[in-house]
Structures are given as structure tokens and as C-alpha cells.
Amino acid sequence: MKRNYKFAQKQLREMATTVCEAKKNTELRVFEFSDELATDLVEYVAQLSEISVKERGCFTIALSGGPIVSVMRKLCESPYQKMLDWSKWYVLWADERAVAKTHAESNYKMTKEGLLSKVPILNSHVFSINDTLTVEEAATDYEFTIRQLVKARAISVSETNDCPKFDLILLSVGPTGSIASLHPNHPALELTDEWVTFITNSPEPPPERITFTMPVINSASNVIIVATGEDKAWAVQQSVSRLSEYLGPDVSVPAKMVTPAEGKLVWFLDKEASKEIELERDNFEL
């Protein structure tokens, strides 16, 4: 049975106030069913797209792997397929595996099959990594691509630093708190000058990947993090709870480091992933 929308919104506001009162520009949205989560997420993305196209003339979005593609498939359905101005979309990836575009583990391949091939996005507005290069060369090349898009004003620039300011970066969180291809305690988390870096020792296969750095993620106008399943509950609690807030940024939990300087962060959670923060909220209310 579908949850009453007004009740859910009230519950979410109460939860965000109780659990994340120390975090500014952060919102939690919790859903009982995965279909509700996907529906609300694509509606939110559609709204951001409409606003960005109206204000800037285009919409720049960076995607990642994991459950993101399956959630975004709803954009292929009515009414979004026809209502969105797909010709104004610029699609990039916040992280990518250093594999061929035809490889089963390629984020590009999964996104193309699940979304891009089903909507009228211009091929010239889709920017995948160069899979003929080494992973280090691919990272350098991808940063150059982003710099060209900044120069062409397809991507804005942050007012507080020189980083690109994507309209939306859409991520998922791993059980250990990883985001994009940034894993706990990895040296890449401390990079400040690079926009894109490379990984050769990812704890998850394949080991070679490219990824946005934290300054780029935190320069976005909007960031979405999706967490589904009980195995993500610890990572969510460590990232958003007010208890962990007192400890400040923590390279052992990369998702906790996502704090957009000029933008908004929205977490989309299912009930399983929100278990630990709901328990924490209950304990505070005792």
C-alpha cells in the first residue's frame, strides 16, 4: 500500500530536523517501497532539469554506477520522456571503471542500455571516458573534456573555487560509505587541485577507475545520494546522524565528506537503509 504523501513529507521533515539539524542544506527522504523512491527521485531530477534549462539554457548531470541506472529508468516513461528538454542535457560520469565501453561493468554501457538509448539525448552531449587510454591518461583526458565544457559555459564554475559546478551529481553509497570511486581512507580523498583522478587499487573489482574528486562533488549545485538495503544502514548513520556530526569530516567515511558549499544535498533512502538513523532518532526522543 502506498504511503500517504503528506504524512510521508511531514515524517521526513521531522526526521531531517531531528537527525540532521547541524547540517545545512541537507534533506533526507525515506521511502517504504523502492518504486516510491524511484518515482520521487526522477520527479526531483525533472524539476532540477526544468529549473536549470530555464535559468542557464542547459542541464549538466554526472552519474555513477550501482543502483542509479535502475532508478533513472523511470525517466524513459511517461510523462518524463516527452516533457523534458533532452536536447539541453549534458551527461557525464562522476566515476567510471577503466574497461571497454562494451564491457558488462562499464557504467557507460549500463546507462546507455538503461536510459540514453531510450530518450532523445544528443550523442554529442554524452561524454564517456576514452577507453583506449591507460587509466591515468583517461583521467587527465576526462578532466580536459570538463574544462572544455566549462570554457563553453555548458558547465558553470563555483563562486568559491575554480571547480566545475554541475547542476546535479547523482551518486550511490556503498556499505563502507564509499561514493563515486572514492573509498574509505584512500589518498584520493585528500586531493584538492585535481578535478578528476585515477584509482588503480579499488577494493571492488575492477581495480582501475577514474573518479571525480571531493572538491568537484562539493561544488555541485545539487547532489543526490541513493542508499537502498540494510547493508547501507551503517554508512547512512555514519554520514548523516547528528552524533557523527560533532566529529567533523572523516576520510574513513567518504559519504560524510559530501557537503556542497553552495548547493543542496538530498539523500534518497529506503526503510532498510534508514534503520540506524531511525533508531537513533527514537533514542533521542526517549
Side-chain angles (χ1 to χ4, degrees):
M1 184 173 65
K2 191 170 183 178
R3 181 186 296 187
N4 179 275
Y5 179 76
K6 290 184 178 179
F7 172 78
Q9 290 298 97
K10 179 177 182 293
Q11 187 179 49
L12 292 172
R13 284 195 297 270
E14 291 173 349
M15 190 172 185
T17 301
T18 302
V19 178
C20 292
E21 62 181 24
K23 281 195 172 185
K24 296 180 179 179
N25 303 323
T26 299
E27 179 183 354
L28 299 181
R29 300 189 182 188
V30 182
F31 302 88
E32 188 169 357
F33 302 110
S34 58
D35 189 63
E36 290 180 341
L37 184 154
T39 299
D40 195 67
L41 187 146
V42 298
E43 177 63 26
Y44 185 63
V45 171
Q47 291 172 1
L48 294 178
S49 172
E50 184 178 1
I51 292 169
S52 183
V53 170
K54 183 177 181 180
E55 293 180 349
R56 299 201 313 108
C58 61
F59 178 60
T60 55
I61 179 172
L63 305 171
S64 61
I68 297 301
V69 176
S70 61
V71 171
M72 292 283 282
R73 283 196 181 105
K74 279 191 172 289
L75 285 174
C76 305
E77 302 173 4
S78 178
Y80 308 108
Q81 188 180 43
K82 293 184 178 180
M83 70 178 280
L84 291 176
D85 192 346
W86 296 103
S87 67
K88 300 296 194 298
W89 276 47
Y90 287 76
V91 179
L92 295 93
W93 279 264
D95 73 312
E96 177 60 286
R97 290 83 178 263
V99 296
K101 291 184 177 70
T102 56
H103 194 284
E105 294 184 321
S106 165
N107 287 340
Y108 167 80
K109 174 182 170 64
M110 289 186 283
T111 309
K112 182 177 181 180
E113 293 178 349
L115 175 64
L116 301 180
S117 64
K118 301 176 182 179
V119 293
I121 293 178
L122 300 176
N123 289 332
S124 60
H125 287 186
V126 177
F127 301 90
S128 58
I129 71 168
N130 187 334
D131 60 355
T132 66
L133 303 176
T134 67
V135 66
E136 182 175 2
E137 292 170 340
T140 301
D141 180 72
Y142 208 56
E143 180 167 325
F144 177 78
T145 296
I146 296 173
R147 290 186 180 276
Q148 293 300 107
L149 289 171
V150 169
K151 186 176 181 180
R153 298 187 178 181
I155 301 176
S156 299
V157 179
S158 169
E159 296 176 4
T160 58
N161 55 39
D162 293 328
C163 285
K165 188 176 183 179
F166 284 84
D167 296 312
L168 173 63
I169 295 180
L170 185 48
L171 307 168
S172 61
V173 66
T176 62
S178 62
I179 44 125
S181 284
L182 297 169
H183 291 271
N185 301 306
H186 197 284
L189 289 165
E190 300 181 18
L191 296 175
T192 57
D193 296 326
E194 293 87 344
W195 292 359
V196 181
T197 191
F198 64 98
I199 305 293
T200 59
N201 57 348
S202 172
E204 298 177 4
E208 294 190 341
R209 302 158 179 250
I210 72 161
T211 181
F212 284 3
T213 58
M214 286 306 309
V216 172
I217 293 172
N218 282 331
S219 295
S221 294
N222 297 276
V223 179
I224 291 174
I225 300 181
V226 177
T228 57
E230 189 174 0
D231 63 329
K232 312 302 191 311
W234 178 88
V236 171
Q237 189 273 338
Q238 290 293 309
S239 301
V240 307
S241 79
R242 70 181 186 181
L243 288 178
S244 66
E245 183 67 25
Y246 295 113
L247 301 177
D250 186 354
V251 294
S252 68
V253 187
K256 185 181 175 183
M257 299 175 68
V258 180
T259 54
E262 307 164 21
K264 181 176 181 179
L265 168 62
V266 181
W267 285 80
F268 283 78
L269 314 171
D270 66 8
K271 285 191 68 65
E272 295 299 312
S274 70
K275 277 186 175 181
E276 292 295 330
I277 52 175
E278 290 198 27
L279 177 61
E280 180 181 306
R281 179 191 62 182
D282 292 340
N283 288 337
F284 273 115
E285 292 175 348
L286 290 177

